[in-house]
Amino acid sequence: MSRQFREIHTLDKDLERISAAERAGVQSLRALTRTGIAVLFVAVMVVVAAGMAARGGTAALGNHVGVATVAAGMALAIYFALTIGANDVSNSLSPAVGSGAIGLRAGLALVAVAEIAGAVLAGDRVSATLSLRIVNSAQLLADGQAAPAMLAALLAAAIWMNLATWAGAPVSTTHSIVGGIAGAGVAVYGLSAVNWGGVAVIALGWIASPVAAALVAAGLLALVRERIGMAADRAAAARRWLPAMVAALTALAAGMLIGGPLGQGKAVSLVLMLAIGAAVRVAALAHLNRRIAAAALIGAEPRQRDLFAVPLVLAAVLMAFAHGANDASNVTAPLGLILAAAGQAGGAPAGSALQPIATLAAGGGLALGGLLFGRRLVVMVGSRITRLNPVRAFCVSLGTSAVVIGASWLGLPVSTTHVAVGGVFGVGFYREWEDRRRKRDRKALPVEETRRRTLVRRAHVRRILFAWAITLPASASLAALFGTMMR
């Protein structure tokens, strides 16, 4: 090898090292940039809220909440919202991204818009439940205890979520904040301050919603397999059923808006719901036809990925809307009471002007958390879901969306993660039942082999149930401790 060639080879290696270092620097800067954007959002919202509170005269002493309390509440609430958005975006988007129905960036942007829309347009009912049906918020506001109590609730929920994440326990932000609000109320006024009937109704919703999702998802899987999977012409069957399923759920979501913030009469609401559902069905059918035609051009049968691409994307958008409508209340309820206390101290106009800030903080935090920090979880969960089946992913997504939208319509705060887990379990149990029915005449397998072939791991079910049971008392105990200290 000549000296000149060796020098060129050495130069190439040095340049490769420099390029590798530059790429590593770019990757590290991306993580730093995302964190910086989140911190900037928190800082801007804190400055805006504190500035409005200061102009309203909330810095008085005594029982009045100060500007520092408003700033602390806003910072904690947005951190909580960012955490919720980053962890829960996979529930909405992973099936669609994992199946190749939509790209990661486009999917994150679409889901972010749907999250904000759900929080702004349909989040008031669940927020009212958390604000009014757990503790006596009017008494807290009258005694000047609302701000410290809700700060304790937010702090306890955030700490418990971090501890659970570190321990790998599948806990819920909704369970955490409900426990935090109840524990803070107990710290201020004792056990009599908590509306145990309201807490019982909420807890009943926590039990019923995963069961409902399991039943809906299993029913959808049975319907899809019978009407589409076993059809002689699967493409024609998909045209008939899939757009209709998504359109029906879209009409349900539209009904929640039309009957709520848009305030239409029953007849007008029904007409608008049907019109919106019909429009979604036409759009979904047109796009589905293009997918099927593209497969026919190369002389191939349409794959499941072709048939379920559009329904999965629409289900992801509906799921994100439902998530924004339900889980935004975890932020708006305690933050709204803190800002209401600020309004009492500074006057009613200041309080009413501060309330939209809570909605903006919740919706923006959910959307930004998913955009900035949710991509890795979406890719990881999405790859696992696609290896299962896009059909089952569609049934889980649509079943979860239906249950969360229905709960939001009723004003019940539920855990979207646990509802999604319920849908997965429902599909798994249905497949076990179907497998046993098909192999009824086959020779019985040994116990060890039967356990190995079990589709739903019972130990995982028990672990999740234990996490559900411990979250409420744990977050309530932390909130009671912090509430006592703040008093």
Side-chain angles (χ1 to χ4, degrees), residues 213-225:
L215 294 175
V216 173
L220 286 171
L221 181 60
L223 178 65
V224 168
R225 284 190 172 182

Side-chain angles (χ1 to χ4, degrees), residues 232-270:
D233 188 349
R234 289 196 303 171
R239 290 189 186 100
R240 184 181 308 115
W241 286 98
L242 294 181
M245 290 180 183
V246 178
L249 188 57
T250 305
L252 178 65
M256 183 171 61
L257 294 179
I258 296 166
L262 301 184
Q264 301 293 331
K266 290 184 178 180
V268 177
S269 298
L270 181 60

Side-chain angles (χ1 to χ4, degrees), residues 68-85:
T69 306
V70 173
M74 180 62 70
L76 275 174
I78 296 179
Y79 169 74
F80 203 38
L82 289 168
T83 303
I84 296 171

